PDB file of all heavy atoms in Angstrom:
ATOM      1  N   CYS A1302     -33.625 -15.354  68.046  1.00  0.00           N
ATOM      2  CA  CYS A1302     -32.815 -16.400  67.722  1.00  0.00           C
ATOM      3  C   CYS A1302     -33.097 -17.709  68.682  1.00  0.00           C
ATOM      4  O   CYS A1302     -32.794 -17.467  69.925  1.00  0.00           O
ATOM      5  CB  CYS A1302     -31.439 -16.238  67.686  1.00  0.00           C
ATOM      6  SG  CYS A1302     -30.243 -17.623  67.675  1.00  0.00           S
ATOM      7  N   THR A1303     -33.962 -18.632  68.154  1.00  0.00           N
ATOM      8  CA  THR A1303     -34.214 -19.764  69.063  1.00  0.00           C
ATOM      9  C   THR A1303     -33.290 -20.932  68.947  1.00  0.00           C
ATOM     10  O   THR A1303     -32.945 -21.317  67.763  1.00  0.00           O
ATOM     11  CB  THR A1303     -35.653 -20.297  68.658  1.00  0.00           C
ATOM     12  OG1 THR A1303     -36.550 -19.257  68.916  1.00  0.00           O
ATOM     13  CG2 THR A1303     -36.033 -21.465  69.604  1.00  0.00           C
ATOM     14  N   ALA A1304     -32.756 -21.390  70.023  1.00  0.00           N
ATOM     15  CA  ALA A1304     -31.737 -22.476  70.040  1.00  0.00           C
ATOM     16  C   ALA A1304     -32.172 -23.455  71.118  1.00  0.00           C
ATOM     17  O   ALA A1304     -31.757 -23.411  72.242  1.00  0.00           O
ATOM     18  CB  ALA A1304     -30.346 -22.037  70.281  1.00  0.00           C
ATOM     19  N   SER A1305     -33.069 -24.398  70.644  1.00  0.00           N
ATOM     20  CA  SER A1305     -33.624 -25.275  71.534  1.00  0.00           C
ATOM     21  C   SER A1305     -32.688 -26.378  72.101  1.00  0.00           C
ATOM     22  O   SER A1305     -32.236 -27.094  71.395  1.00  0.00           O
ATOM     23  CB  SER A1305     -34.828 -25.990  71.057  1.00  0.00           C
ATOM     24  OG  SER A1305     -35.821 -24.992  70.659  1.00  0.00           O
ATOM     25  N   SER A1306     -32.397 -26.315  73.343  1.00  0.00           N
ATOM     26  CA  SER A1306     -31.497 -27.346  73.936  1.00  0.00           C
ATOM     27  C   SER A1306     -31.656 -27.256  75.595  1.00  0.00           C
ATOM     28  O   SER A1306     -31.821 -26.166  76.167  1.00  0.00           O
ATOM     29  CB  SER A1306     -29.964 -26.986  73.735  1.00  0.00           C
ATOM     30  OG  SER A1306     -29.076 -27.700  74.421  1.00  0.00           O
ATOM     31  N   PRO A1307     -31.652 -28.420  76.141  1.00  0.00           N
ATOM     32  CA  PRO A1307     -31.729 -28.466  77.643  1.00  0.00           C
ATOM     33  C   PRO A1307     -30.552 -27.744  78.422  1.00  0.00           C
ATOM     34  O   PRO A1307     -30.581 -27.503  79.544  1.00  0.00           O
ATOM     35  CB  PRO A1307     -31.853 -29.939  77.920  1.00  0.00           C
ATOM     36  CG  PRO A1307     -31.272 -30.680  76.691  1.00  0.00           C
ATOM     37  CD  PRO A1307     -31.670 -29.842  75.618  1.00  0.00           C
ATOM     38  N   VAL A1308     -29.490 -27.606  77.517  1.00  0.00           N
ATOM     39  CA  VAL A1308     -28.416 -26.930  78.199  1.00  0.00           C
ATOM     40  C   VAL A1308     -28.098 -25.598  77.404  1.00  0.00           C
ATOM     41  O   VAL A1308     -26.932 -25.258  77.034  1.00  0.00           O
ATOM     42  CB  VAL A1308     -27.074 -27.688  78.001  1.00  0.00           C
ATOM     43  CG1 VAL A1308     -27.224 -28.966  79.025  1.00  0.00           C
ATOM     44  CG2 VAL A1308     -26.808 -28.335  76.623  1.00  0.00           C
ATOM     45  N   PHE A1309     -29.213 -24.846  77.257  1.00  0.00           N
ATOM     46  CA  PHE A1309     -29.102 -23.521  76.558  1.00  0.00           C
ATOM     47  C   PHE A1309     -28.130 -22.665  77.116  1.00  0.00           C
ATOM     48  O   PHE A1309     -27.494 -21.895  76.396  1.00  0.00           O
ATOM     49  CB  PHE A1309     -30.571 -22.954  76.515  1.00  0.00           C
ATOM     50  CG  PHE A1309     -30.589 -21.665  75.989  1.00  0.00           C
ATOM     51  CD1 PHE A1309     -30.509 -21.479  74.483  1.00  0.00           C
ATOM     52  CD2 PHE A1309     -30.795 -20.441  76.678  1.00  0.00           C
ATOM     53  CE1 PHE A1309     -30.639 -20.260  73.996  1.00  0.00           C
ATOM     54  CE2 PHE A1309     -30.916 -19.126  76.083  1.00  0.00           C
ATOM     55  CZ  PHE A1309     -30.817 -19.042  74.766  1.00  0.00           C
ATOM     56  N   SER A1310     -27.870 -22.712  78.456  1.00  0.00           N
ATOM     57  CA  SER A1310     -27.004 -21.848  79.204  1.00  0.00           C
ATOM     58  C   SER A1310     -25.569 -22.161  78.852  1.00  0.00           C
ATOM     59  O   SER A1310     -24.688 -21.393  79.209  1.00  0.00           O
ATOM     60  CB  SER A1310     -27.267 -21.781  80.701  1.00  0.00           C
ATOM     61  OG  SER A1310     -28.499 -21.347  80.951  1.00  0.00           O
ATOM     62  N   ASN A1311     -25.221 -23.349  78.158  1.00  0.00           N
ATOM     63  CA  ASN A1311     -23.916 -23.676  77.818  1.00  0.00           C
ATOM     64  C   ASN A1311     -23.576 -23.181  76.464  1.00  0.00           C
ATOM     65  O   ASN A1311     -22.561 -23.626  76.078  1.00  0.00           O
ATOM     66  CB  ASN A1311     -23.773 -25.127  77.963  1.00  0.00           C
ATOM     67  CG  ASN A1311     -23.625 -25.601  79.480  1.00  0.00           C
ATOM     68  OD1 ASN A1311     -24.137 -26.715  79.684  1.00  0.00           O
ATOM     69  ND2 ASN A1311     -23.110 -24.858  80.295  1.00  0.00           N
ATOM     70  N   TYR A1312     -24.523 -22.287  75.878  1.00  0.00           N
ATOM     71  CA  TYR A1312     -24.162 -21.944  74.474  1.00  0.00           C
ATOM     72  C   TYR A1312     -23.965 -20.380  74.632  1.00  0.00           C
ATOM     73  O   TYR A1312     -24.954 -19.629  74.823  1.00  0.00           O
ATOM     74  CB  TYR A1312     -25.339 -22.278  73.425  1.00  0.00           C
ATOM     75  CG  TYR A1312     -25.305 -23.731  73.160  1.00  0.00           C
ATOM     76  CD1 TYR A1312     -25.897 -24.689  73.969  1.00  0.00           C
ATOM     77  CD2 TYR A1312     -24.537 -24.161  72.029  1.00  0.00           C
ATOM     78  CE1 TYR A1312     -25.914 -26.014  73.643  1.00  0.00           C
ATOM     79  CE2 TYR A1312     -24.609 -25.484  71.633  1.00  0.00           C
ATOM     80  CZ  TYR A1312     -25.287 -26.442  72.454  1.00  0.00           C
ATOM     81  OH  TYR A1312     -25.201 -27.731  72.150  1.00  0.00           O
ATOM     82  N   ALA A1313     -22.827 -19.949  74.161  1.00  0.00           N
ATOM     83  CA  ALA A1313     -22.694 -18.452  73.765  1.00  0.00           C
ATOM     84  C   ALA A1313     -23.391 -18.225  72.415  1.00  0.00           C
ATOM     85  O   ALA A1313     -23.341 -19.170  71.641  1.00  0.00           O
ATOM     86  CB  ALA A1313     -21.247 -18.136  73.743  1.00  0.00           C
ATOM     87  N   ILE A1314     -23.907 -16.964  72.354  1.00  0.00           N
ATOM     88  CA  ILE A1314     -24.626 -16.719  71.068  1.00  0.00           C
ATOM     89  C   ILE A1314     -24.088 -15.393  70.530  1.00  0.00           C
ATOM     90  O   ILE A1314     -23.914 -14.442  71.140  1.00  0.00           O
ATOM     91  CB  ILE A1314     -26.197 -16.608  71.408  1.00  0.00           C
ATOM     92  CG1 ILE A1314     -26.687 -17.981  71.806  1.00  0.00           C
ATOM     93  CG2 ILE A1314     -26.893 -16.048  70.262  1.00  0.00           C
ATOM     94  CD1 ILE A1314     -28.206 -18.019  72.272  1.00  0.00           C
ATOM     95  N   GLY A1315     -24.041 -15.507  69.282  1.00  0.00           N
ATOM     96  CA  GLY A1315     -23.491 -14.311  68.546  1.00  0.00           C
ATOM     97  C   GLY A1315     -24.385 -13.915  67.331  1.00  0.00           C
ATOM     98  O   GLY A1315     -25.186 -14.714  66.804  1.00  0.00           O
ATOM     99  N   TRP A1316     -24.541 -12.589  67.060  1.00  0.00           N
ATOM    100  CA  TRP A1316     -25.103 -12.024  65.999  1.00  0.00           C
ATOM    101  C   TRP A1316     -24.202 -11.442  65.059  1.00  0.00           C
ATOM    102  O   TRP A1316     -23.424 -10.651  65.378  1.00  0.00           O
ATOM    103  CB  TRP A1316     -26.070 -10.892  66.347  1.00  0.00           C
ATOM    104  CG  TRP A1316     -27.493 -11.473  67.055  1.00  0.00           C
ATOM    105  CD1 TRP A1316     -27.823 -11.637  68.327  1.00  0.00           C
ATOM    106  CD2 TRP A1316     -28.606 -12.031  66.288  1.00  0.00           C
ATOM    107  NE1 TRP A1316     -28.997 -11.993  68.492  1.00  0.00           N
ATOM    108  CE2 TRP A1316     -29.588 -12.372  67.186  1.00  0.00           C
ATOM    109  CE3 TRP A1316     -28.885 -12.224  64.914  1.00  0.00           C
ATOM    110  CZ2 TRP A1316     -30.848 -12.864  66.963  1.00  0.00           C
ATOM    111  CZ3 TRP A1316     -30.146 -12.693  64.639  1.00  0.00           C
ATOM    112  CH2 TRP A1316     -31.084 -13.121  65.672  1.00  0.00           C
ATOM    113  N   PHE A1317     -24.169 -11.989  63.802  1.00  0.00           N
ATOM    114  CA  PHE A1317     -23.258 -11.380  62.674  1.00  0.00           C
ATOM    115  C   PHE A1317     -24.144 -10.797  61.642  1.00  0.00           C
ATOM    116  O   PHE A1317     -25.337 -11.177  61.506  1.00  0.00           O
ATOM    117  CB  PHE A1317     -22.369 -12.384  62.139  1.00  0.00           C
ATOM    118  CG  PHE A1317     -21.341 -12.853  63.034  1.00  0.00           C
ATOM    119  CD1 PHE A1317     -21.521 -13.634  64.227  1.00  0.00           C
ATOM    120  CD2 PHE A1317     -20.003 -12.462  62.797  1.00  0.00           C
ATOM    121  CE1 PHE A1317     -20.490 -14.012  65.124  1.00  0.00           C
ATOM    122  CE2 PHE A1317     -18.950 -12.826  63.659  1.00  0.00           C
ATOM    123  CZ  PHE A1317     -19.271 -13.597  64.798  1.00  0.00           C
ATOM    124  N   ARG A1318     -23.493 -10.006  60.803  1.00  0.00           N
ATOM    125  CA  ARG A1318     -24.291  -9.450  59.560  1.00  0.00           C
ATOM    126  C   ARG A1318     -23.390  -9.444  58.443  1.00  0.00           C
ATOM    127  O   ARG A1318     -22.194  -9.408  58.564  1.00  0.00           O
ATOM    128  CB  ARG A1318     -24.865  -8.161  59.779  1.00  0.00           C
ATOM    129  CG  ARG A1318     -23.912  -6.923  60.114  1.00  0.00           C
ATOM    130  CD  ARG A1318     -24.696  -5.773  60.507  1.00  0.00           C
ATOM    131  NE  ARG A1318     -23.695  -4.667  60.714  1.00  0.00           N
ATOM    132  CZ  ARG A1318     -24.081  -3.395  61.258  1.00  0.00           C
ATOM    133  NH1 ARG A1318     -25.227  -3.182  61.750  1.00  0.00           N
ATOM    134  NH2 ARG A1318     -23.147  -2.552  61.452  1.00  0.00           N
ATOM    135  N   GLN A1319     -23.919  -9.684  57.293  1.00  0.00           N
ATOM    136  CA  GLN A1319     -23.206  -9.679  56.029  1.00  0.00           C
ATOM    137  C   GLN A1319     -23.972  -9.040  54.876  1.00  0.00           C
ATOM    138  O   GLN A1319     -25.128  -9.436  54.569  1.00  0.00           O
ATOM    139  CB  GLN A1319     -22.739 -11.073  55.648  1.00  0.00           C
ATOM    140  CG  GLN A1319     -21.862 -11.215  54.470  1.00  0.00           C
ATOM    141  CD  GLN A1319     -21.311 -12.568  54.249  1.00  0.00           C
ATOM    142  OE1 GLN A1319     -21.795 -13.550  54.699  1.00  0.00           O
ATOM    143  NE2 GLN A1319     -20.184 -12.641  53.637  1.00  0.00           N
ATOM    144  N   ASP A1320     -23.512  -8.002  54.231  1.00  0.00           N
ATOM    145  CA  ASP A1320     -24.042  -7.376  53.120  1.00  0.00           C
ATOM    146  C   ASP A1320     -23.318  -7.940  51.987  1.00  0.00           C
ATOM    147  O   ASP A1320     -22.184  -8.409  52.034  1.00  0.00           O
ATOM    148  CB  ASP A1320     -23.863  -5.836  53.299  1.00  0.00           C
ATOM    149  CG  ASP A1320     -24.894  -5.064  52.260  1.00  0.00           C
ATOM    150  OD1 ASP A1320     -25.848  -5.745  51.686  1.00  0.00           O
ATOM    151  OD2 ASP A1320     -24.778  -3.981  52.214  1.00  0.00           O
ATOM    152  N   GLN A1321     -23.961  -7.785  50.748  1.00  0.00           N
ATOM    153  CA  GLN A1321     -23.458  -8.409  49.502  1.00  0.00           C
ATOM    154  C   GLN A1321     -22.035  -7.654  49.264  1.00  0.00           C
ATOM    155  O   GLN A1321     -21.885  -6.505  49.292  1.00  0.00           O
ATOM    156  CB  GLN A1321     -24.410  -8.025  48.347  1.00  0.00           C
ATOM    157  CG  GLN A1321     -25.597  -8.815  48.363  1.00  0.00           C
ATOM    158  CD  GLN A1321     -26.539  -8.588  47.108  1.00  0.00           C
ATOM    159  OE1 GLN A1321     -26.225  -7.656  46.475  1.00  0.00           O
ATOM    160  NE2 GLN A1321     -27.448  -9.484  47.026  1.00  0.00           N
ATOM    161  N   GLY A1322     -21.104  -8.529  48.920  1.00  0.00           N
ATOM    162  CA  GLY A1322     -19.866  -8.057  48.581  1.00  0.00           C
ATOM    163  C   GLY A1322     -18.898  -7.736  49.758  1.00  0.00           C
ATOM    164  O   GLY A1322     -17.799  -7.317  49.720  1.00  0.00           O
ATOM    165  N   LYS A1323     -19.345  -7.983  51.033  1.00  0.00           N
ATOM    166  CA  LYS A1323     -18.650  -7.528  52.272  1.00  0.00           C
ATOM    167  C   LYS A1323     -18.411  -8.766  53.193  1.00  0.00           C
ATOM    168  O   LYS A1323     -19.034  -9.729  52.972  1.00  0.00           O
ATOM    169  CB  LYS A1323     -19.362  -6.528  53.010  1.00  0.00           C
ATOM    170  CG  LYS A1323     -19.572  -5.184  52.188  1.00  0.00           C
ATOM    171  CD  LYS A1323     -20.446  -4.118  53.159  1.00  0.00           C
ATOM    172  CE  LYS A1323     -20.596  -2.845  52.362  1.00  0.00           C
ATOM    173  NZ  LYS A1323     -21.341  -1.900  53.220  1.00  0.00           N
ATOM    174  N   ASP A1324     -17.425  -8.585  53.949  1.00  0.00           N
ATOM    175  CA  ASP A1324     -17.240  -9.639  54.876  1.00  0.00           C
ATOM    176  C   ASP A1324     -18.281  -9.743  56.035  1.00  0.00           C
ATOM    177  O   ASP A1324     -18.971  -8.776  56.311  1.00  0.00           O
ATOM    178  CB  ASP A1324     -15.827  -9.438  55.589  1.00  0.00           C
ATOM    179  CG  ASP A1324     -14.751  -9.604  54.619  1.00  0.00           C
ATOM    180  OD1 ASP A1324     -14.807 -10.343  53.588  1.00  0.00           O
ATOM    181  OD2 ASP A1324     -13.588  -8.936  54.888  1.00  0.00           O
ATOM    182  N   ARG A1325     -18.470 -10.988  56.504  1.00  0.00           N
ATOM    183  CA  ARG A1325     -19.363 -11.104  57.684  1.00  0.00           C
ATOM    184  C   ARG A1325     -18.717 -10.430  58.823  1.00  0.00           C
ATOM    185  O   ARG A1325     -17.593 -10.726  59.185  1.00  0.00           O
ATOM    186  CB  ARG A1325     -19.678 -12.501  57.983  1.00  0.00           C
ATOM    187  CG  ARG A1325     -20.569 -12.890  58.908  1.00  0.00           C
ATOM    188  CD  ARG A1325     -21.024 -14.318  58.905  1.00  0.00           C
ATOM    189  NE  ARG A1325     -21.741 -14.686  57.657  1.00  0.00           N
ATOM    190  CZ  ARG A1325     -22.198 -15.982  57.488  1.00  0.00           C
ATOM    191  NH1 ARG A1325     -22.205 -16.942  58.386  1.00  0.00           N
ATOM    192  NH2 ARG A1325     -22.665 -16.321  56.293  1.00  0.00           N
ATOM    193  N   GLU A1326     -19.515  -9.658  59.546  1.00  0.00           N
ATOM    194  CA  GLU A1326     -18.996  -8.975  60.769  1.00  0.00           C
ATOM    195  C   GLU A1326     -19.855  -9.119  62.023  1.00  0.00           C
ATOM    196  O   GLU A1326     -21.054  -9.296  61.911  1.00  0.00           O
ATOM    197  CB  GLU A1326     -18.917  -7.419  60.372  1.00  0.00           C
ATOM    198  CG  GLU A1326     -20.215  -6.713  60.112  1.00  0.00           C
ATOM    199  CD  GLU A1326     -20.117  -5.293  60.071  1.00  0.00           C
ATOM    200  OE1 GLU A1326     -18.949  -4.811  59.999  1.00  0.00           O
ATOM    201  OE2 GLU A1326     -21.283  -4.680  59.892  1.00  0.00           O
ATOM    202  N   LEU A1327     -19.167  -9.129  63.037  1.00  0.00           N
ATOM    203  CA  LEU A1327     -19.802  -9.371  64.374  1.00  0.00           C
ATOM    204  C   LEU A1327     -20.606  -8.122  64.693  1.00  0.00           C
ATOM    205  O   LEU A1327     -20.213  -6.869  64.547  1.00  0.00           O
ATOM    206  CB  LEU A1327     -18.759  -9.453  65.540  1.00  0.00           C
ATOM    207  CG  LEU A1327     -19.317  -9.522  66.971  1.00  0.00           C
ATOM    208  CD1 LEU A1327     -20.043 -10.776  67.228  1.00  0.00           C
ATOM    209  CD2 LEU A1327     -18.183  -9.254  67.973  1.00  0.00           C
ATOM    210  N   VAL A1328     -21.834  -8.323  65.179  1.00  0.00           N
ATOM    211  CA  VAL A1328     -22.744  -7.331  65.679  1.00  0.00           C
ATOM    212  C   VAL A1328     -22.692  -7.338  67.216  1.00  0.00           C
ATOM    213  O   VAL A1328     -22.473  -6.237  67.707  1.00  0.00           O
ATOM    214  CB  VAL A1328     -24.166  -7.421  65.315  1.00  0.00           C
ATOM    215  CG1 VAL A1328     -25.014  -6.359  65.733  1.00  0.00           C
ATOM    216  CG2 VAL A1328     -24.212  -7.443  63.626  1.00  0.00           C
ATOM    217  N   ALA A1329     -22.893  -8.351  67.848  1.00  0.00           N
ATOM    218  CA  ALA A1329     -22.844  -8.496  69.295  1.00  0.00           C
ATOM    219  C   ALA A1329     -22.827 -10.071  69.640  1.00  0.00           C
ATOM    220  O   ALA A1329     -23.238 -10.870  68.871  1.00  0.00           O
ATOM    221  CB  ALA A1329     -24.122  -7.885  69.863  1.00  0.00           C
ATOM    222  N   SER A1330     -22.275 -10.281  70.680  1.00  0.00           N
ATOM    223  CA  SER A1330     -22.313 -11.705  71.400  1.00  0.00           C
ATOM    224  C   SER A1330     -22.573 -11.579  72.805  1.00  0.00           C
ATOM    225  O   SER A1330     -22.310 -10.529  73.441  1.00  0.00           O
ATOM    226  CB  SER A1330     -20.864 -12.295  71.084  1.00  0.00           C
ATOM    227  OG  SER A1330     -19.939 -11.643  71.748  1.00  0.00           O
ATOM    228  N   ILE A1331     -23.057 -12.707  73.285  1.00  0.00           N
ATOM    229  CA  ILE A1331     -23.422 -12.846  74.705  1.00  0.00           C
ATOM    230  C   ILE A1331     -23.039 -14.190  75.217  1.00  0.00           C
ATOM    231  O   ILE A1331     -23.252 -15.225  74.606  1.00  0.00           O
ATOM    232  CB  ILE A1331     -25.028 -12.618  74.873  1.00  0.00           C
ATOM    233  CG1 ILE A1331     -25.453 -12.521  76.372  1.00  0.00           C
ATOM    234  CG2 ILE A1331     -25.847 -13.503  74.181  1.00  0.00           C
ATOM    235  CD1 ILE A1331     -26.828 -11.841  76.581  1.00  0.00           C
ATOM    236  N   SER A1332     -22.611 -14.209  76.438  1.00  0.00           N
ATOM    237  CA  SER A1332     -22.123 -15.494  77.103  1.00  0.00           C
ATOM    238  C   SER A1332     -23.267 -16.328  77.449  1.00  0.00           C
ATOM    239  O   SER A1332     -24.467 -15.854  77.445  1.00  0.00           O
ATOM    240  CB  SER A1332     -21.306 -15.134  78.220  1.00  0.00           C
ATOM    241  OG  SER A1332     -22.024 -14.558  79.249  1.00  0.00           O
ATOM    242  N   GLY A1333     -23.085 -17.518  77.723  1.00  0.00           N
ATOM    243  CA  GLY A1333     -24.098 -18.497  78.095  1.00  0.00           C
ATOM    244  C   GLY A1333     -24.937 -18.020  79.336  1.00  0.00           C
ATOM    245  O   GLY A1333     -26.135 -18.236  79.328  1.00  0.00           O
ATOM    246  N   THR A1334     -24.324 -17.305  80.210  1.00  0.00           N
ATOM    247  CA  THR A1334     -25.043 -16.878  81.484  1.00  0.00           C
ATOM    248  C   THR A1334     -25.600 -15.570  81.222  1.00  0.00           C
ATOM    249  O   THR A1334     -26.442 -15.141  82.014  1.00  0.00           O
ATOM    250  CB  THR A1334     -23.956 -16.747  82.608  1.00  0.00           C
ATOM    251  OG1 THR A1334     -22.982 -15.897  82.207  1.00  0.00           O
ATOM    252  CG2 THR A1334     -23.252 -18.048  82.970  1.00  0.00           C
ATOM    253  N   GLY A1335     -25.225 -14.962  80.154  1.00  0.00           N
ATOM    254  CA  GLY A1335     -25.851 -13.511  79.801  1.00  0.00           C
ATOM    255  C   GLY A1335     -25.032 -12.476  80.510  1.00  0.00           C
ATOM    256  O   GLY A1335     -25.388 -11.380  80.456  1.00  0.00           O
TER     257      GLY A1335
END
């Protein structure tokens, strides 16, 4: 996941997944500092 920004460290990033007919669900998330 590329998120180009000079303040990349100020963005928390999440991965979600969604299958057909199902709700979107969290897979994992990481804070700006990691």
Side-chain angles (χ1 to χ4, degrees):
C1302 172
T1303 300
S1305 299
S1306 170
V1308 290
F1309 178 71
S1310 295
N1311 287 145
Y1312 286 88
I1314 293 177
W1316 284 100
F1317 286 75
R1318 64 188 179 190
Q1319 186 170 25
D1320 196 10
Q1321 290 183 348
K1323 297 182 180 178
D1324 293 333
R1325 189 170 295 187
E1326 63 176 2
L1327 174 74
V1328 178
S1330 62
I1331 187 168
S1332 63
T1334 59

